[in-house]
Amino acid sequence: MKKLLIAAFATVLMSGAALADTTLKLVEVITSPERTETLKSIVAKFEAANPGTKVEVISLPWGEAFQKFATMVSAGEIPDVMEMPDTWLSLYANNGLLESLEPYLAKWEHTSGLTDRALELGRDVNNTAYMLPYGFYLRAMFYNKKLFKEAGVTEPPKTMDEFVAASEKVSKLPGKYGYCLRGGPGGLNGWIMFGATMAGSNEFFNEDGTSTMNSEGWVKGLTWVVDLYKKGLAPKDSVNWGFNEIVAGFYTGTCAMLDQDPDALIAIAERMKPEDYGVTTMPKGPSGKTFPTIGYAGWSMMAASQNKDLSWKLIETLEGPEGNVEWNKRTGALPVHKSAEKDPFYASEQFKGWFAELEDKDAVPTVMPTDLEEFAFFKDSMVIKTSQQALLGDITPEEMANQWADYLTKAQQKYLAKK
C-alpha cells in the first residue's frame, strides 16, 4: 500500500495535472444520506460566497471507502479536500500526500476558539496539522427500554456479566436479540472495547513494542464477543453488518443493545420515541473499568491540489463555528469549538449518557494506535476478514488474536525504530 501511494503521488506531481481553476473536488468517506445532504448544504454556502467556484462532492460508501480512495489516489484522481478518518491520517500524512494546515491555522481567526483536544489530535503526525478534526466520537451503550421491560430486564447492564444475562433474556423473545453486533466494516471498535475491558487495560503494546492483543485478558474479551454470536445473542446476519445495519437493527427493535457514537442518534431519534430508549456507560469488566473508544475525523487538504488557498476557504466554511455546529448537529459528533458547549442542543437529554460516561473515572476513553501507518489496513481490511472467520468458527479467537498481535508488533517495532 505504501509503495502504491508513493508511486501515485509521484505520478501526479510529474504530470502536472490540475483541476479547473474554479472547481474543487471534495471526497467524503463516512457516508450516509443525512450526512451528504448536510455537507452539500454547507458547500452551497461556500459556493454562494465564492461566485464562479463549484465543488464536486464525491461520496464513497464507508464499507468500501478505504480501498476505493486508495484506488482513486493510485489512478491520480486526487481531490482537493477530503474527509479524513483518524485511522487513515498517519498513512496519508507519512507518505507526503497531505498539505500542512499550519500556515493557515496561524492566520485563522477561529484557531484560538478550537478545543485543545482538537488541535492535539489534528497534529497527531509529526506534530503537524495535516488534518483539522471536525468532531469526536465516543462510544456509549444504547438500550431499548420497551424490549428490556418485555424481557424482564429491570435496568441497563452495568457489567459484562449483566450484559450477557440481559442479552439471554431478550434473545428468548421471538425474533429478538440482545446485541447489535457489528461484524462487518467498522467493527474493530467493539472488539477493542470488550477485549480491553476484559483485560482491564487499554494498553496496546508492551515497552518492547510487542502487542498485548494475544495476552490472556485480551483473548478472553475477544472470545466473549465470539461466544455472544455463537450463542445466538446477536442476529445471524450481523456477521456482515456495518453502521447502517446495526443502527437499523436497534431502531426496528430487532436487538436491544447497541454500542455507538452520538452519530447514531440521527437515525434513532427520527424513528424512536425518546422515552423508549436510553444511553448509558459501556459495561464494566472484572477490573471495575470499561474502555470506550474515542475517535475523530476531520478535513484534510491534499498536497497535490492546484487550488490550495481556495481549498482552505472551503475548509474554513466547513470548520468555522457556524458550519461545524451545523455539521455536528446532523452527524452526531461532539463539536471542536469551545463556544459549542453553550448551544442548547448539546445540553439536551439525549447527550446525558455520553457526558456521564466522560465524567465516570472508571470509564477510560481509548484512542486507537492511529500513529501507525499500517493501522488503516489493519482496521479496514485485516480485522474484518479475520473477525468474520472467528465468528463463523473458521479460526479460533486465539488464532485471530495471534494474527492481530503479530501484525501490530511488526508495525509498532518499525515505528519505534524510526523514533
Side-chain angles (χ1 to χ4, degrees):
M1 177 62 71
K2 179 177 179 180
K3 292 181 179 178
L4 179 67
L5 294 173
I6 293 174
F9 187 44
T11 299
V12 171
L13 289 180
M14 289 187 292
S15 68
L19 300 171
D21 289 345
T22 55
T23 300
L24 297 178
K25 287 189 176 182
L26 170 64
V27 170
E28 62 164 339
V29 299
I30 308 175
T31 309
S32 72
E34 294 91 350
R35 294 170 69 95
T36 302
E37 177 186 345
T38 303
L39 179 60
K40 289 183 176 179
S41 172
I42 301 173
V43 164
K45 295 176 182 177
F46 166 79
E47 291 176 331
N50 295 272
T53 301
K54 298 296 181 184
V55 178
E56 178 186 352
V57 177
I58 302 168
S59 303
L60 304 180
W62 174 241
E64 306 166 11
F66 179 71
Q67 295 294 346
K68 284 185 175 292
F69 188 73
T71 300
M72 285 178 61
V73 171
S74 67
E77 299 173 7
I78 299 180
D80 296 274
V81 176
M82 71 164 292
E83 181 180 18
M84 178 63 68
D86 54 354
T87 54
W88 298 12
L89 180 60
S90 179
L91 176 63
Y92 286 98
N94 282 323
N95 283 289
L97 291 171
L98 304 183
E99 185 75 11
S100 170
L101 300 180
E102 295 292 352
Y104 302 98
L105 289 171
K107 300 177 182 178
W108 194 35
E109 61 179 318
H110 296 300
T111 300
S112 61
L114 296 170
T115 63
D116 293 341
R117 191 67 168 166
L119 291 170
E120 174 192 344
L121 294 175
R123 292 169 172 152
D124 190 53
V125 178
N126 299 325
N127 198 32
T128 301
Y130 289 113
M131 176 247 272
L132 185 53
Y134 58 63
F136 307 110
Y137 297 93
L138 176 68
R139 287 295 168 97
M141 185 66 68
F142 287 80
Y143 61 98
N144 186 312
K145 295 180 180 180
K146 292 179 69 176
L147 273 182
F148 271 15
K149 184 176 181 180
E150 188 177 351
V153 179
T154 58
E155 61 180 2
K158 295 181 176 62
T159 68
M160 301 220 352
D161 287 342
E162 291 177 3
F163 184 97
V164 173
S167 295
E168 290 174 342
K169 288 181 179 180
V170 172
S171 297
K172 289 178 181 178
L173 300 173
K176 306 298 182 182
Y177 302 88
Y179 178 49
C180 287
L181 172 71
R182 188 168 180 171
L188 177 61
N189 292 63
W191 296 99
I192 293 296
M193 287 187 294
F194 293 126
T197 297
M198 190 62 80
S201 170
N202 61 356
E203 293 294 329
F204 289 98
F205 302 102
N206 298 308
E207 288 187 9
D208 63 356
T210 55
S211 171
T212 61
M213 297 198 76
N214 59 350
S215 65
E216 181 180 0
W218 276 92
V219 171
K220 283 183 179 179
L222 302 180
T223 302
W224 184 89
V225 178
V226 172
D227 287 345
L228 278 178
Y229 180 77
K230 288 186 174 180
K231 290 176 182 177
L233 307 184
K236 186 176 182 180
D237 57 347
S238 65
V239 66
N240 293 311
W241 281 8
F243 176 81
N244 292 331
E245 291 82 7
I246 60 171
V247 174
F250 183 78
Y251 66 63
T252 59
T254 300
C255 34
M257 289 179 285
L258 164 72
D259 63 86
Q260 252 310 316
D261 312 311
D263 58 348
L265 278 171
I266 298 168
I268 291 171
E270 289 178 351
R271 296 168 174 86
M272 295 181 73
K273 297 178 181 179
E275 62 268 23
D276 289 342
Y277 69 96
V279 179
T280 189
T281 302
M282 292 292 295
K284 295 173 181 176
S287 69
K289 295 183 181 295
T290 185
F291 298 90
T293 54
I294 185 169
Y296 58 100
W299 303 108
S300 289
M301 185 192 305
M302 303 303 289
S305 171
Q306 300 297 309
N307 300 283
K308 291 186 174 66
D309 288 343
L310 200 55
S311 295
W312 170 249
K313 286 187 178 181
L314 175 56
I315 293 176
E316 275 187 317
T317 304
L318 294 166
E319 288 276 12
E322 181 181 346
N324 184 245
V325 171
E326 178 184 349
W327 172 254
N328 285 303
K329 281 182 178 180
R330 293 294 296 158
T331 64
L334 301 174
V336 297
H337 289 273
K338 299 171 186 175
S339 59
E341 296 176 10
K342 301 176 183 178
D343 193 295
F345 180 82
Y346 293 101
S348 62
E349 183 71 25
Q350 62 189 175
F351 282 95
K352 281 188 177 180
W354 282 280
F355 291 124
E357 188 172 70
L358 284 171
E359 294 171 2
D360 188 340
K361 63 180 177 59
D362 292 320
V364 184
T366 298
V367 178
M368 299 282 195
T370 54
D371 50 348
L372 302 179
E373 62 180 79
E374 293 87 353
F375 188 75
F377 173 80
F378 174 74
K379 173 182 179 290
D380 292 316
S381 184
M382 182 180 182
V383 166
I384 298 172
K385 177 182 178 181
T386 53
S387 62
Q388 289 178 334
Q389 289 174 330
L391 290 169
L392 296 172
D394 296 331
I395 61 175
T396 66
E398 291 85 357
E399 289 171 331
M400 177 178 72
N402 284 331
Q403 289 187 48
W404 291 7
D406 288 346
Y407 182 88
L408 291 176
T409 293
K410 291 175 183 176
Q412 177 70 358
Q413 291 182 340
K414 173 185 170 185
Y415 172 77
L416 292 175
K418 291 182 178 178
K419 295 182 71 174

